[in-house]
Amino acid sequence: MMMNAAHTIISRELVKPSSPTPSHLRTYNLSELDQRSTHAYMPLILYYPNNELCSLTPDEKVMVMKKSLSQTLTRYYPFAGSLHTPTSPYIDCNDEGVLFVEAKNDCQMKMLQQIMFFHSPFRPNLLGVQVNHFACGGMAVAVSMSHRISDGGTLGLFFTLWASVARYGSTDHKEVLTLNPHFIQSPATTNFLPPESALLNPTRRNTITRKFVFPNSNLSDLKNKVLKLAEGDSTLSINNPTKVDILTSLLYKTAVVATTSNSPSFKPYFLTIPANIRNKLVPKLPPTTVGNYVATMLLTTRHESETSLSLLVSKIKEQKMELERIRSMQLARQHNDSVLSKLENENLENDNRTFVCTSICGWPASKLNFGWGNPEVASVTYRCSNHIGSFLMDAPNGDGIHAWVTLEKPDMERFQNDKELLSFCQN
């Protein structure tokens, strides 16, 4: 057992698929977009309060989760495999299993950094789970998946199917969601080596993550402000912006101000936004397609005058239109390589001027019911990836958006006290 203050690791084991992977599926060739992705881990944590209506003991809940995870892995068979090196173009679907960690916390349910356990630069396993029991009877379920095989959409669908199987007891139950994964593989001879990039593999930073809550009423006020700022300016392309677009603009603007306020001169700053392109490719890909089917939008801010909210929203709209031209995997790869090349030319290796904004809004994280009710809170952490940026997800109660923002500590102090940000934030 390993102990850290009130946090105790009870057990570690590998959960294998409930049935072996057929021999003809033992090698899973990663798509060209997957091969260009970093082997960083994407973390998602769901917090479940003690449900007195559920008769299961904590041990019984864990047994349900392990059994349903094993059943779910028969469909998502590559997730139970391993990579031989960080740049391997394929996954060995050897049914090695998924690391499943159980822990207890001698405190009331709260968000703990110890919940996330993936910190090493390279792990051969692609997926890990940690279940944490709290003194109050609540529990937290943390899943961490390699970006080498999954984007946020894939992680969400896997989590959704797993919870559905746990709730109903079998993948064959009539009530289990029909979320069969769709796999696409590159030819076995293809090897798209990921570029050597500090942007994909950022250096260790003294970062801190904070949650900011934006209710729907405040987001409506923010939208009205953006539209009013754009009045009379025919150069701006703003037509009914989404909540995610306007909030992304506000967070990015605030980060730019916080990061550059103590600099003697304004340096160029960059916003990157990964966007799902499954429905843009020809032919369109099913939503359940496994992998990194994203293209990156890039906004460049070279002068302080370019931080206007209306201008930023307009630029996001323009970038979305650019993505409409992507109709193939090859074009997506070329687009992403072009974005990376532009950033590399800016000599950002040891700087914090790239803000990554990811959104899983629209994915019902608050409805992932394993059989003992919906989660009360959902959270993420960027401590595994060291990227400066934000992660947006719908509020569990449906009222607005939760933004998890990661910045270097001195910048966060200025960010969280920004008057404009606080005028729209519930915190």
Side-chain angles (χ1 to χ4, degrees):
M1 269 188 291
M2 185 173 68
M3 191 166 184
N4 187 346
H7 182 82
T8 306
I9 300 297
I10 300 172
S11 65
R12 296 175 184 265
E13 67 176 278
L14 290 172
V15 175
K16 302 178 182 295
S18 58
S19 59
T21 298
S23 58
H24 69 281
L25 297 177
R26 284 295 297 264
T27 298
Y28 176 75
N29 298 312
L30 294 168
S31 74
E32 53 189 287
L33 293 182
D34 292 334
Q35 292 182 40
R36 305 287 284 182
S37 298
T38 177
H39 190 52
Y41 285 88
M42 297 184 297
L44 178 64
I45 314 172
L46 301 177
Y47 297 82
Y48 294 86
N50 185 23
N51 186 346
E52 296 180 355
L53 298 178
C54 178
S55 61
L56 296 179
T57 66
D59 287 344
E60 289 172 334
K61 290 179 180 178
V62 170
M63 289 180 62
V64 167
M65 297 191 72
K66 288 180 181 178
K67 179 182 178 181
S68 55
L69 176 59
S70 178
Q71 293 172 322
T72 303
L73 288 173
T74 61
R75 296 189 182 183
Y76 283 88
Y77 64 94
F79 293 5
S82 60
L83 287 169
H84 291 293
T85 70
T87 58
S88 293
Y90 67 92
I91 295 171
D92 183 4
C93 302
N94 51 17
D95 294 340
E96 180 178 303
V98 167
L99 180 62
F100 192 103
V101 178
E102 187 178 2
K104 69 175 182 178
N105 299 274
D106 298 327
C107 60
Q108 301 303 306
M109 191 170 73
K110 64 179 181 179
M111 294 169 212
L112 299 174
Q113 289 297 340
Q114 295 100 315
I115 285 175
M116 299 316 300
F117 49 88
F118 289 99
H119 295 285
S120 62
F122 172 68
R123 297 181 60 92
N125 299 94
L126 297 161
L127 175 66
V129 176
Q130 184 167 321
V131 174
N132 305 267
H133 304 286
F134 294 92
C136 60
M139 68 187 302
V141 180
V143 170
S144 195
M145 184 178 290
S146 171
H147 227 314
R148 208 52 186 143
I149 193 175
S150 167
D151 57 12
T154 296
L155 174 60
L157 287 169
F158 172 82
F159 219 140
T160 301
L161 178 60
W162 176 27
S164 182
V165 173
R167 187 175 183 182
Y168 296 108
S170 169
T171 53
D172 298 325
H173 193 283
K174 64 179 182 179
E175 296 295 333
V176 167
L177 297 174
T178 55
L179 296 173
N180 291 324
H182 179 72
F183 295 104
I184 297 178
Q185 301 190 41
S186 292
T189 56
T190 305
N191 189 354
F192 297 96
L193 290 175
E196 292 294 329
S197 171
L199 297 168
L200 291 180
N201 302 286
T203 55
R204 176 65 61 178
R205 290 168 170 160
N206 187 20
T207 59
I208 187 170
T209 301
R210 292 274 187 266
K211 182 181 76 169
F212 300 87
V213 177
F214 298 87
N216 284 327
S217 58
N218 291 17
L219 291 173
S220 294
D221 292 340
L222 178 58
K223 178 178 178 179
N224 291 334
K225 178 177 181 176
V226 169
L227 293 175
K228 188 171 183 179
L229 287 171
E231 285 181 358
D233 191 340
S234 59
T235 63
L236 299 179
S237 175
I238 295 181
N239 181 24
N240 194 27
T242 68
K243 291 188 294 185
V244 171
D245 290 347
I246 60 172
L247 182 54
T248 297
S249 299
L250 176 64
L251 296 174
Y252 173 65
K253 175 186 177 180
T254 308
V256 172
V257 173
T259 305
T260 62
S261 59
N262 285 352
S263 300
S265 60
F266 190 92
K267 294 182 178 180
Y269 212 95
F270 307 90
L271 170 64
T272 62
I273 307 172
N276 181 11
I277 58 170
R278 288 171 175 81
N279 64 350
K280 300 184 186 302
L281 301 180
V282 178
K284 293 183 179 181
L285 299 180
T288 56
T289 303
V290 173
N292 292 276
Y293 293 94
V294 297
T296 302
M297 296 186 284
L298 173 64
L299 275 70
T300 303
T301 305
R302 299 198 177 278
H303 304 283
E304 191 172 0
S305 60
E306 297 175 349
T307 59
S308 163
L309 287 176
S310 56
L311 178 59
L312 292 175
V313 172
S314 179
K315 285 186 174 182
I316 291 176
K317 287 279 188 180
E318 292 173 0
Q319 285 295 306
K320 285 185 174 181
M321 293 300 296
E322 286 291 323
L323 296 188
E324 296 299 323
R325 301 177 183 177
I326 297 176
R327 290 289 183 263
S328 68
M329 294 276 286
Q330 182 180 11
L331 288 175
R333 180 171 60 86
Q334 291 173 352
H335 171 90
N336 289 341
D337 285 351
S338 174
V339 167
L340 192 60
S341 176
K342 290 176 182 177
L343 290 172
E344 286 294 328
N345 290 336
E346 297 290 343
N347 192 26
L348 298 169
E349 183 172 353
N350 296 310
D351 217 332
N352 59 349
R353 292 182 284 121
T354 301
F355 191 85
V356 183
C357 188
T358 302
S359 170
I360 60 169
C361 290
W363 173 61
S366 61
K367 301 189 186 310
L368 294 180
N369 185 349
F370 284 85
W372 41 88
N374 294 329
E376 187 176 79
V377 180
S379 72
V380 296
T381 173
Y382 272 2
R383 294 187 67 85
C384 301
S385 67
N386 294 312
H387 281 297
I388 300 299
S390 62
F391 194 102
L392 308 183
M393 58 199 316
D394 293 321
N397 63 2
D399 183 16
I401 296 175
H402 287 184
W404 296 84
V405 180
T406 299
L407 293 170
E408 293 188 355
K409 286 187 176 181
D411 300 331
M412 178 60 76
E413 185 64 27
R414 292 185 289 270
F415 181 94
Q416 65 188 9
N417 290 301
D418 184 270
K419 291 183 179 179
E420 184 178 33
L421 177 79
L422 294 176
S423 67
F424 298 104
C425 182
Q426 194 179 63
N427 298 49

